[in-house]
Amino acid sequence: MQENIRGIVLRTVKYGDTSMIVDLFTESHGRMSFMASTSRAKRAVRSVSFWQPLSMVEFHTEIRPNGTSSPLGGIRGGLPRPTDVRTYYNYIDLPFSPVKSTLALFLAEFLSAALREEKENAPLYRYIESSLQWLDLAEAPASIANFHLAFLMHLSRFIGIYPNLDPNSSLPLGGVGGGSNSPLYFDLLAGTYCDRQPPHAHFLRYEEARALPVLFRMDYATLHLFRLSRKERMRILQVLNEYYRLHVPNFPELKSLEVLQEFYS
């Protein structure tokens, strides 16, 4: 059955001499893979440009029962082939800005690792789509520098791993740790506060733990108000990356994370 598909490109993998597997998060089917041509024909070369990471594309394809595949995890029954490909949103600044393009490289790899859904999730798709468009048009340097932090914090809600940021929800009666001067920890593995040091290494101590509710209130409208140093920004990113690795099965080490760290160092 022919369908019109909209999707955001996550990554591509060369497949033979004239093809590549394109991994997308689609609006109507969640995560899917497709087979696209990379032949030297003029038309095909132009088509390759559509498949850059985070490109927003629209095309026609035939979706057959049991004819899709898990994300780059082995082809089952042949992958759908897109036709009449076009970009439905053309980036204005993102590909040409060194800061934005570096963030885009990181976000594409992060999303490829974090998005495992093979079913429709329209709110998640709209969140990613509108966020990337916001980044493309953003001008304030402080907003751009903090964008990926807010994006990752709120992405956790859409994929079901948003942390419990109420300090009193899992503590004894009497408030945080039983007193204002009591130590307070945030257990990254449990995703909640606790008044005793967890029996593992994945936790934040008091100073960092108490900052979480404020940081998670960061949104695109208020990014410029968070005056973070490069060291603080990288520490927040490190904690977010650890949190995702704890809660998303088989979340890999990200190559682009090191690139981002060097860029902001």
Side-chain angles (χ1 to χ4, degrees), residues 157-171:
R157 186 185 298 277
F158 289 92
I159 64 175
I161 62 170
Y162 194 79
N164 181 356
L165 299 175
D166 180 2
N168 297 309
S169 62
S170 58
L171 298 178

Side-chain angles (χ1 to χ4, degrees), residues 145-146 149 228-237:
N146 291 333
L149 304 180
L228 302 171
S229 67
R230 292 182 176 183
K231 183 177 180 180
E232 290 170 332
R233 194 174 289 120
M234 288 311 306
R235 175 56 181 161
I236 295 168
L237 181 58

Side-chain angles (χ1 to χ4, degrees), residues 6 18-19 29 67 72 105 132 140 167 210 215 220 232 261:
R6 277 193 168 196
T18 60
S19 299
H29 295 281
L72 305 183
L105 174 69
L132 294 175
R210 70 174 183 172
L215 288 172
Y220 301 151
E232 290 170 332
Q261 289 173 330

